[in-house]
Amino acid sequence: LAIAQAGIIFAEKLFEETKKFADQRKVWAPKGAPDTFLSSLPHLKYLFAEADERLQRLTRFCDVVEKRLSKVLTDRSIPSADLVEAIGVCKVSSIEDSIELCHRLKQEVGSYGLMDGTGFEHVDFLQCCKFAEGDSRILSQKMARDTMKAFKSGNPLKDDNVKQACVNLAAGLASSKVNPLVAWNEQWKLVYKLAEAVRESHIREAVGPLNMSKL
């Protein structure tokens, strides 16, 4: 959880400092037109809004999971499989989203993204987070594996998107003529699609869907 929260804080700070720069950076405008600033360009304006909504949503989710974990630790009980998976979701989603958003931001701010002192020079911190306390790929594989086991055992899956991802992966595995391990690797795209659906299911159940009306 600490790694997930650290990744979110890093991304939020980078966006905050970059917006300060973009709010003051003038861009070309026709003669006689009012001053136009980098942050007002539609694609960058959208990115700032998208990052704010996604990172705030992940923060709320991490807070929910932290409270669940705190209760378990206080009670000295064993965390449920669902809570363990939710902690993994915090780690993977927070870091992967932060990496994606920070990379997209760098593409939109020109040479500012290459300058020392902007925060972009420390973005590899997120890469360290990606592999700390469980590689994101391995955690995603485990989510997909455990969900497929539940699906094949007939255990009810609450989320329709997760169910459909299981159906798609099961069909892909069934069509393969090789041993199960090789077939699983062959269907790696569907494996990660399932893991993505599982992560989104956890987040949506805890804090609701992404509010696209703000974007």
Side-chain angles (χ1 to χ4, degrees):
L1 270 172
I3 292 171
Q5 291 163 334
I8 293 171
I9 291 169
F10 178 91
E12 287 178 332
K13 186 65 175 177
L14 186 63
F15 268 83
E16 178 186 335
E17 293 302 314
T18 305
K19 190 170 188 307
K20 289 179 183 177
F21 160 78
D23 283 344
Q24 299 175 18
R25 177 68 174 181
K26 291 182 181 180
V27 297
W28 181 88
K31 187 175 181 179
D35 289 341
T36 302
F37 295 91
L38 184 60
S39 61
S40 69
L41 298 181
H43 56 282
L44 193 52
K45 186 177 181 180
Y46 180 92
L47 179 56
F48 282 129
E50 178 188 352
D52 184 63
E53 173 62 19
R54 287 171 61 181
L55 293 172
Q56 283 192 31
R57 183 175 183 243
L58 286 168
T59 296
R60 293 195 301 272
F61 176 66
C62 287
D63 288 345
V64 169
V65 175
E66 184 176 20
K67 287 177 183 176
R68 290 176 62 191
L69 178 60
S70 178
K71 185 177 188 309
V72 168
L73 295 175
T74 301
D75 296 343
R76 296 189 177 185
S77 57
I78 298 174
S80 66
D82 182 75
L83 176 55
V84 171
E85 187 171 76
I87 294 170
V89 171
C90 288
K91 161 66 163 53
V92 177
S93 291
S94 297
I95 300 307
E96 293 301 321
D97 280 26
S98 294
I99 289 173
E100 177 216 329
L101 289 166
C102 290
H103 176 75
R104 287 169 57 193
L105 181 62
K106 188 175 184 179
Q107 310 314 303
E108 303 296 350
V109 293
S111 60
Y112 178 82
L114 302 173
M115 293 180 183
D116 187 42
T118 62
F120 284 102
E121 73 274 25
H122 300 305
V123 78
D124 280 345
F125 167 76
L126 294 174
Q127 197 70 14
C128 297
C129 291
K130 182 183 178 80
F131 300 108
E133 298 297 330
D135 177 87
S136 293
R137 290 285 188 185
I138 294 174
L139 290 172
S140 295
Q141 288 266 348
K142 184 179 184 304
M143 291 174 200
R145 182 200 68 190
D146 293 348
T147 304
M148 278 302 291
K149 282 184 179 179
F151 175 73
K152 289 181 177 179
S153 299
N155 294 336
L157 300 174
K158 295 180 289 184
D159 188 276
D160 289 338
N161 291 329
V162 173
K163 288 180 189 176
Q164 188 58 54
C166 285
V167 169
N168 294 342
L169 179 54
L173 294 172
S175 67
S176 180
K177 306 299 181 183
V178 294
N179 71 66
L181 178 59
V182 175
W184 182 268
N185 288 335
E186 283 183 349
Q187 301 299 325
W188 64 272
K189 288 185 179 179
L190 293 177
V191 169
Y192 289 119
K193 282 286 187 183
L194 172 55
E196 184 180 338
V198 170
R199 296 200 307 272
E200 175 57 25
S201 174
H202 272 278
I203 299 171
R204 192 188 311 112
E205 182 177 0
V207 298
L210 187 67
N211 189 351
M212 299 301 293
S213 66
K214 292 184 178 180
L215 307 181

